[in-house]
Amino acid sequence: MAGDSRHPFVLDREAFEVLGAETIRMLGGYLRALPNEPVDRTVPKDVRQRLMSLPLPERGQSPEEILAFLRREVMPWPIATGHKRSYGWVNSPPAPISLLADAVASSMDCGLDGFDHSAIFLMKSLGRWIMELVGFPTEGSLCLLLSGGSAATLNALTAARHRAAARDGWNMRTEGLQGGRKHLVLYASAESHSSIQKCAEQLGIGTDNLRAIEADRDFRMKPAALRAAIETDLAAGHLPFAVVACGGATNTGAIDPLDEIADIAGAFGIWLHVDGAFGAWAALDPAYRDRFRAFARVDSVTLNPHKWLQVPVDCGALLTRHPEVHRAAFSLTPDYLEAGHSEAPWPYEHMFQLTYGNRALKVWAAIARLGRSGVAELVTRCNGLARLLEQRVREAADLELLSPASLSVVNFRYRPAGRTPGDSALDELNERISEAISAGGEAHMPTTRIHGKTSLRACFLHYENDESDVDHLIALVRRLGTELIQS
Ligand SMILES: *Cc1c(COP(=O)(O)O)cnc(C)c1O
């Protein structure tokens, strides 16, 4: 850079294209190498130390130095989500076309908050596409792309809280929660995701007013228990404001009985939100379509493109039937934003954030690349692999099924001959098998607890998962289990 007086950010066409090509080569190499790398990696001590103690440079570095640093110190140490034998988290690998579309979004640098630019209009089609994919009514509905499932559900429950207060004769925005009004009460399955509790805390509802509705042996909310809880709260003078039903539990894939829950929420006029962050895409699988039929009449749904759809983090979609309620709960337009465009209201009027990232292009690109049939094939294949794994577990004398295939999740554990199901030593053994799987680098499969037992939890989400992965997984668990009990 010596002698170059231009600002470092000035775009030199040739330099940019050379660097761009170099970066793409680097990314391609990274993605192609992933399958042959250990699934689980740990950031080495010296690297951690270096990354945490970088001195602030006084002078800017060259682009070449910056890319070299990323290649050397950052790219070798990801978490396991991109590898097809990473069965632990509900994260998918990034679709290559979405990576590229995201670079287009960054280059245009237009937020998805609003105003007159192309992505705002593309968002209308994308929202409709997502609704059509999962069978959510398109007419009058709105899709927002938020940072994830937690943010999407928080947005929906804020609108639900606003509506319930308004119906009870008060304005949440002016009065807040301190006007000595009725207690707002939220309902969710005892098996619901931790984000629901965080929403209750964030919204000032308090966990004392979050009813954890009992689930059955198969981890599905009991509708009768929901009805009874609502009746009890109404009799006590409380104000039930929302039910969150689970459209695919993270731990077990369990789907709450959405139809029966929709009947109950409808009878009491309570907002029904479905947390389908992981599972809602399975509405495209003929084997599960009926279980999601209630999407035609629920109030809102969370579903995460950054889970099954292979879109790079972050993105959680919210589908809502009540854009006007979200607007009433959130819209605040200062004078300097009075754009006066005929296409308003813009997305930002329905949410807390003002400026927010253009997540539309990467999501649009993934769906455009796959089409409806491609998305359906992906979820249907993953669900089929879970059923195959369940069958293999049932056939094996030394494996115990802990929760049957639901969506693409199966829970099981190694249980050698002579051990009874209640043997607590099996907990430690399976913990050690999970650790050995990570240490061996062939897969990633953390444990969870199912009916009080330590379980190996397998979740298929990768576009390249196939039967060979099931066979590999079964053989791996049996081999490590045998080794561990002999050692
Ligand atoms: C992952 C998940 C969430 C949370 O989504 P984030 O994007 O991590 O905020 C909520 N509910 C369910 C069922 C999930 O699987």
Side-chain angles (χ1 to χ4, degrees), residues 90 147-153 192-196 246-251 275-279 302 304 306-307 314-316 457:
V90 191
S147 63
S150 310
T153 299
S192 66
H193 189 268
S194 56
S195 57
I196 310 305
C246 189
T250 320
N251 219 20
D275 178 9
F278 154 44
T302 288
N304 275 0
H306 73 208
K307 285 187 171 168
D314 57 10
C315 188
R457 175 180 165 285

